[in-house]
Amino acid sequence: VDSFVEFGTDEGYGMVAWPTLEHPGEALLVGVPADTTGHYRVVVDGDEGLRASPDFTFHSDPAPDWLPEFVVAEDDGAPWGQVVLLSVIYANADKDLVSAIVAVDRQARPVWWTEESRREVHGARLSADGRAIMATWNEPQPEAPAVVARIGFDGVVERTWSGMGLHHDFIELDDDHVAVLETDVREFEGEDLAGDNLVILDADGGRQLVWSAWDTMTPVLHREWGIAMNSPARDWTHANGVSFDAAHGQYIISLYWY
């Protein structure tokens, strides 16, 4: 017998949640705005077909005080789905840099968030199986490795991949592997320059180099280059986005290069 939960802000529902893998009798209802009354019912698919329970209600938690207010400047009806994931970085009342991951609906109302932390979150996206959030961040200690993490909707970090110099963007390849951008500092004409690599990390700590800017481009020094993030070296290629073209089996990397 299969079962699932239909839920939403009224008895029209509109969203579906499946039982968690760890606790088959439980489902996480993610998508109702903060501080809002929600409706849900349990649907069972058995020998007699679909059967639904009566309607039940619940009230979602209010958004925390530290969460900023979000605004949709203009909703043009583009089909980007029910919610959008944001990585938020800001200074708190003590002027400490803190960050969090937040999901907001089309009216910019928060529907899910992580606790604020001193981590510097660069990006977040839904996992391939739709059951978690994938994110990348830097720890507050400069000597600590950067992290790509899988975070359950209950806020628990389920799995991590780590390495020095990881930054900005990544691709979830399968349950055990991620492709991620990596800073690569080398000396060039007496200067320490920060280039970029694309590496594949596995869940056991293995690392495979896929591509390096140093192997495909030659730097031309410019005085206006700034300092690379989390590195004393001067910023050369500064990659900040990566995707995978499955049709051609190729990675596409976004970077700037003089």
Side-chain angles (χ1 to χ4, degrees), residues 125-134 150 172-175:
R125 61 173 59 94
L126 190 65
S127 64
D129 62 9
R131 293 180 176 270
I133 302 298
M134 300 289 295
R150 177 185 168 98
E172 179 189 8
L173 300 177
D174 55 43
D175 289 344

Side-chain angles (χ1 to χ4, degrees), residues 151-166:
I151 307 167
F153 289 120
D154 57 1
V156 174
V157 176
E158 300 175 351
R159 179 174 297 181
T160 60
W161 298 259
S162 61
M164 299 303 297
L166 307 182

Side-chain angles (χ1 to χ4, degrees), residues 15 30-33 67 70-75 78-88 100-114 123-127 132-134 153:
M15 291 179 278
V30 178
V32 173
L67 197 63
F70 300 97
V71 176
V72 176
E74 182 179 354
D75 187 351
W80 52 263
Q82 297 274 5
V83 299
V84 61
L85 277 170
L86 305 171
S87 54
V88 179
I101 304 168
V102 184
V104 299
D105 65 11
R106 295 192 79 107
Q107 287 75 50
R109 299 172 298 184
V111 300
W112 182 88
W113 56 87
T114 59
R125 61 173 59 94
L126 190 65
S127 64
I133 302 298
M134 300 289 295
F153 289 120

Side-chain angles (χ1 to χ4, degrees), residues 10-256:
D10 54 38
E11 292 185 50
Y13 306 112
M15 291 179 278
V16 173
W18 297 90
T20 62
L21 296 177
E22 298 79 8
H23 305 285
E26 300 178 2
L28 291 168
L29 309 185
V30 178
V32 173
D35 199 19
T36 299
T37 296
H39 293 254
Y40 73 97
R41 66 180 181 182
V42 178
V43 180
V44 176
D45 187 1
D47 295 336
E48 300 178 5
L50 294 177
R51 291 183 296 161
S53 73
D55 178 73
F56 299 96
T57 61
F58 65 94
H59 199 85
S60 58
D61 291 336
D65 293 338
W66 55 262
L67 197 63
E69 181 179 354
F70 300 97
V71 176
V72 176
E74 182 179 354
D75 187 351
D76 60 2
W80 52 263
Q82 297 274 5
V83 299
V84 61
L85 277 170
L86 305 171
S87 54
V88 179
I89 302 175
Y90 63 98
N92 63 14
D94 297 325
K95 298 184 179 180
D96 294 323
L97 187 69
V98 294
S99 65
I101 304 168
V102 184
V104 299
D105 65 11
R106 295 192 79 107
Q107 287 75 50
R109 299 172 298 184
V111 300
W112 182 88
W113 56 87
T114 59
E115 295 297 323
E116 63 176 343
S117 74
R118 295 292 303 278
R119 295 165 173 164
E120 185 177 344
V121 180
H122 295 298
R125 61 173 59 94
L126 190 65
S127 64
D129 62 9
R131 293 180 176 270
I133 302 298
M134 300 289 295
T136 180
W137 64 66
N138 286 334
E139 298 289 353
Q141 303 84 7
E143 68 279 3
V147 173
V148 178
R150 177 185 168 98
I151 307 167
F153 289 120
D154 57 1
V156 174
V157 176
E158 300 175 351
R159 179 174 297 181
T160 60
W161 298 259
S162 61
M164 299 303 297
L166 307 182
H167 68 91
H168 280 89
D169 204 8
F170 64 93
I171 302 170
E172 179 189 8
L173 300 177
D174 55 43
D175 289 344
D176 295 320
H177 299 83
V178 293
V180 59
L181 297 171
E182 174 191 75
T183 299
D184 184 357
V185 177
R186 303 187 192 183
E187 183 178 345
F188 180 81
E189 296 185 1
E191 299 261 11
D192 284 339
L193 300 185
D196 285 286
N197 298 333
L198 179 66
V199 297
I200 293 177
L201 305 180
D202 64 43
D204 297 323
R207 173 186 176 278
Q208 174 190 348
L209 178 65
V210 176
W211 172 87
S212 175
W214 292 101
D215 296 335
T216 54
M217 296 182 259
T218 301
V220 178
L221 293 178
H222 286 263
R223 294 297 102 189
E224 62 267 27
W225 283 354
I227 300 300
M229 182 179 62
N230 300 318
S231 169
R234 296 177 64 200
D235 206 1
W236 170 35
T237 51
H238 193 91
N240 54 25
V242 59
S243 62
F244 183 68
D245 180 356
H248 297 89
Q250 297 176 334
Y251 292 95
I252 301 173
I253 298 174
S254 167
L255 53 80
Y256 70 65

